[in-house]
Amino acid sequence: MPNLPPRDAIRCAATDLFVRDGYAATTVRAIAAAAGCDPALVIRHFGSKEALFLETVPASADLPRVLAGPIESLGRELVRFVLAASESPVAGVYRALLSASDRPEIRERLRSSMHDVFVGPLANRIGGHSPELRARLVAAQFTGLINAYWLVADPVLRSADRQVIVSFYGDAIQRLLDSADPA
Amino acid sequence: MPNLPPRDAIRCAATDLFVRDGYAATTVRAIAAAAGCDPALVIRHFGSKEALFLETVPASADLPRVLAGPIESLGRELVRFVLAASESPVAGVYRALLSASDRPEIRERLRSSMHDVFVGPLANRIGGHSPELRARLVAAQFTGLINAYWLVADPVLRSADRQVIVSFYGDAIQRLLDSADPA
DNA sequence: GTCTATACGCTGATAGAC
DNA sequence: GTCTATCAGCGTATAGAC
């Protein structure tokens, strides 16, 4: 953390702490300490802790690239993306968002960022019946896996062969991507 | 709320408030007020707010019945169960658990109750390859749908024809239930 | 304008008197 | 057993120093 302007230093510190510790466990005072400034300054610059959260915790930048890949292997590719998310901030960001999910504005953010970065791009690429709806259901499968793997972190899941998860879960997603008509 | 013993009155009030408002937004003082007793009594009886939460917020009682049904239609039945969850407390309980998910002990609870009530019973009923793993992946799909429908509450999803969701998502779950070997 | 110092009303939790 | 008094810490607001 070199000599950044205070506003950027606060943003940096806030992102790190929110993603690492969640919303409730991250205090304004801790952010200020990590940024090397006064707690009051945090509020002065961003209005509130919640506003700071909404401004700092970002959507994933890698996801659009995955969603732009070939549609016939997208199911498995999405699963690979989730399982490899330890190096990207996706897992932490998602956990942070869920940990603040009892706040209506943050639920709204969860919805809108999911739509902008996932549902929208995907709905345009899949054919068949109700693409808008099916894209949302694919998103549900996607978040379900993030949830199980990175939040609940079930040991059996975490120690399982990744290839097997990719096959099983990827094909289940693919099923939804390919299905043309509701039976 | 008739004249219950204080301990039970606290439990009742706590369940209602946690499920309705989430963990952080529910204060010990509000629970005490709803139970008609002193805030200190709440802590005195249960040790802490978190311990009260863990003792109070229950697992779903209806789920075992669904999981005991015929395996060949279980996918769609699970989806019907989720979509009808407004009358059961499942949706609220799940939201409450997620809203407290930055607490390690509550994540542990999320994991254990998911295992006891879902993964365990299901793994015993499905054949094929890695039933333990596949049961967990089905659970991931299941929670993903709860998440999308009851927490994020995407309007498109909420206003969609339930039968269509049952067909699409149910068949994707069924795919995982039926799959015998990873490709 | 940028920042610090201070304070307010809330929270979960504790100690000790009835 | 139950309530009163009180604690330290929280998010937040404001007054005023540089």
Side-chain angles (χ1 to χ4, degrees):
Chain A
M1 325 290 175
N3 286 355
L4 293 165
R7 198 170 194 284
D8 296 337
I10 293 171
R11 283 176 55 108
C12 274
T15 306
D16 287 352
L17 293 176
F18 279 137
V19 165
R20 206 190 52 190
D21 300 333
Y23 182 80
T26 300
T27 68
V28 171
R29 285 163 169 86
I31 295 170
C37 74
D38 192 273
L41 206 65
V42 175
I43 301 295
R44 199 118 178 78
H45 271 308
F46 294 91
S48 72
K49 175 183 173 182
E50 180 167 351
L52 173 60
F53 181 85
L54 288 172
E55 186 162 332
T56 48
V57 173
S60 167
D62 308 318
L63 202 44
R65 189 177 43 74
V66 176
L67 287 171
I71 205 92
E72 66 271 13
S73 59
L74 188 54
R76 293 190 178 200
E77 216 52 58
L78 282 171
V79 176
R80 283 196 194 92
F81 176 77
V82 170
L83 300 190
S86 63
E87 296 99 26
S88 95
V90 185
V93 168
Y94 186 74
R95 281 174 45 167
L97 280 169
L98 279 188
S99 78
S101 64
D102 54 345
R103 304 187 159 253
E105 298 207 6
I106 289 175
R107 274 203 305 269
E108 175 58 39
R109 164 62 162 263
L110 201 55
R111 171 162 58 238
S112 67
S113 74
M114 208 62 205
H115 183 271
D116 294 347
V117 87
F118 196 115
V119 174
L122 181 58
N124 287 334
R125 299 203 55 214
I126 58 177
H129 194 275
S130 321
E132 280 278 343
L133 175 61
R134 274 163 55 233
R136 267 160 245 260
L137 294 177
V138 170
Q141 289 182 300
F142 180 73
T143 56
L145 185 61
I146 295 180
N147 205 62
Y149 200 83
W150 293 109
L151 189 115
V152 176
D154 186 292
V156 172
L157 217 51
R158 295 298 292 271
S159 65
D161 183 348
R162 293 190 173 194
Q163 301 251 21
V164 177
I165 299 179
V166 167
S167 302
F168 279 135
Y169 208 84
D171 289 357
I173 293 181
Q174 196 67 42
R175 159 91 195 196
L176 205 32
L177 288 168
D178 293 340
S179 62
D181 275 299
Chain B
M1 322 294 174
N3 285 355
L4 293 166
R7 198 167 196 284
D8 296 337
I10 293 172
R11 284 176 55 108
C12 273
T15 306
D16 287 352
L17 292 177
F18 279 137
V19 165
R20 206 190 52 191
D21 300 332
Y23 181 81
T26 300
T27 67
V28 171
R29 286 163 170 84
I31 295 170
C37 74
D38 191 90
L41 209 65
V42 175
I43 302 293
R44 201 116 177 83
H45 270 309
F46 293 90
S48 72
K49 176 183 172 182
E50 181 167 351
L52 173 59
F53 181 85
L54 288 172
E55 186 163 332
T56 296
V57 174
S60 166
D62 308 319
L63 200 45
R65 189 178 43 73
V66 176
L67 287 171
I71 204 93
E72 66 271 14
S73 59
L74 187 55
R76 293 190 177 199
E77 215 52 57
L78 283 171
V79 176
R80 283 196 192 92
F81 176 77
V82 170
L83 300 190
S86 63
E87 296 100 25
S88 95
V90 185
V93 168
Y94 186 74
R95 281 173 45 168
L97 280 169
L98 280 187
S99 78
S101 65
D102 54 345
R103 303 184 161 254
E105 298 208 5
I106 288 174
R107 275 202 306 269
E108 175 59 38
R109 163 61 162 264
L110 201 56
R111 170 162 59 238
S112 68
S113 73
M114 207 62 203
H115 184 271
D116 295 346
V117 87
F118 196 115
V119 174
L122 182 59
N124 286 334
R125 299 202 55 213
I126 59 177
H129 193 275
S130 322
E132 280 279 342
L133 175 61
R134 274 161 56 232
R136 267 160 245 260
L137 294 177
V138 170
Q141 289 181 300
F142 180 74
T143 57
L145 184 62
I146 296 179
N147 205 62
Y149 200 84
W150 292 110
L151 189 116
V152 176
D154 185 290
V156 172
L157 217 52
R158 295 298 292 271
S159 65
D161 184 347
R162 293 191 174 194
Q163 302 252 20
V164 177
I165 299 179
V166 168
S167 301
F168 279 135
Y169 208 84
D171 288 358
I173 293 181
Q174 195 68 41
R175 160 93 194 195
L176 205 32
L177 288 168
D178 293 340
S179 64
D181 276 300

